[in-house]
Amino acid sequence: KIDFIVKMDGCQLWSPDNPFLYDLELSTSGDNTSTRFGMRTFAVKKDSGVFFLNDKPYYMRGTNVCIFRFFEDPDRNGLPWDSKWVTKLHDRFKEMHWNSIRYCIGFPPERWYEIADSVGFLIQDEYPVWTGGKGGFERLLKGITSKQLSAEYLDWMRERWNHPCVVVWDAQNESVNDTTGKAILLARSYDLSNRPWDNGWAA
């Protein structure tokens, strides 16, 4: 394993208005890989609650995509996996002057994130925990611990973190419980450079 830093002084910043992407290619004498990524910052100002994209105020306007409800539609056929159709859908969203999408009640295919990167959308990526009011989590997800859930959160973030479109990591939806909050704190406390998923920690 080799860790190294590539300096990118003066890099182009990614935004919905300028969805500029970089391709990184790595190779050795016996292997090669590539990944696509964008450079941007995203933060919320605690005093005002205003989101800042690349150090400038940015207001999110958009919609929800409940992909699993679409999966249940018998007329959907292969549309969720049809790149042309998914791109057209995002173009329609753009026509309505939207710049953000919340993926809720399940994740869409990977291609949706790639398209959001390339056409320029901010994604609130929601982890599929949805158990309703008090007692629902314990009833529906009995035995799920904060430690186990935090390991899942880390794997989820690792899978998505090269997508500049993903700006909000949403740990749950409408679930009254203490487990997800504790899992968030656990995930935040781990040094990602130690790659806990490679050391049996997630088990």
Side-chain angles (χ1 to χ4, degrees):
K1 296 179 182 178
I2 300 173
D3 290 324
F4 60 93
I5 296 173
V6 178
K7 291 186 177 181
M8 296 183 62
D9 297 330
C11 63
Q12 277 206 56
L13 297 180
W14 181 97
S15 74
D17 303 313
N18 179 39
F20 186 86
L21 296 170
Y22 287 92
D23 287 307
L24 175 65
E25 297 182 2
L26 300 170
S27 62
T28 67
S29 59
D31 202 1
N32 64 80
T33 188
S34 63
T35 189
R36 179 168 285 187
F37 65 95
M39 301 293 287
R40 57 115 183 101
T41 61
F42 187 80
V44 62
K45 300 296 183 181
K46 291 183 179 180
D47 56 342
S48 64
V50 174
F51 288 115
F52 276 63
L53 177 66
N54 299 326
D55 295 324
K56 296 179 181 178
Y58 200 88
Y59 295 92
M60 298 170 71
R61 306 177 307 274
T63 186
N64 293 326
V65 170
C66 298
I67 192 68
F68 270 46
R69 290 177 178 165
F70 188 33
F71 287 162
E72 294 172 351
D73 186 339
D75 295 326
R76 61 139 175 88
N77 297 315
L79 292 179
W81 298 273
D82 183 332
S83 293
K84 288 184 178 179
W85 183 86
V86 177
T87 301
K88 183 177 180 181
L89 176 66
H90 284 72
D91 288 341
R92 290 289 172 86
F93 290 166
K94 283 275 188 178
E95 289 172 10
M96 291 186 275
H97 305 288
W98 291 344
N99 59 24
S100 63
I101 306 169
R102 171 177 169 250
Y103 291 155
C104 58
I105 314 177
F107 301 129
E110 173 69 12
R111 188 71 183 116
W112 287 58
Y113 295 89
E114 295 170 354
I115 289 170
D117 285 340
S118 63
V119 302
F121 271 93
L122 303 180
I123 301 298
Q124 176 180 336
D125 208 31
E126 183 178 273
Y127 203 76
V129 172
W130 185 26
T131 59
K134 191 172 182 179
F137 187 95
E138 292 76 11
R139 184 177 69 257
L140 297 171
L141 298 178
K142 186 177 181 180
I144 300 295
T145 66
S146 296
K147 184 176 180 181
Q148 177 184 352
L149 196 55
S150 65
E152 293 183 25
Y153 287 164
L154 288 171
D155 285 339
W156 161 49
M157 294 177 73
R158 183 185 183 214
E159 184 176 341
R160 301 269 195 273
W161 65 30
N162 270 5
H163 288 292
C165 66
V166 179
V167 294
V168 177
W169 306 89
D170 183 346
Q172 57 132 330
N173 179 56
E174 299 173 6
S175 301
V176 179
N177 70 95
D178 295 329
T179 306
T180 52
K182 292 176 181 176
I184 291 169
L185 293 176
L186 274 174
R188 287 176 175 171
S189 70
Y190 280 94
D191 179 1
L192 294 178
S193 64
N194 288 332
R195 301 166 63 93
W197 39 79
D198 288 343
N199 298 318
W201 182 83

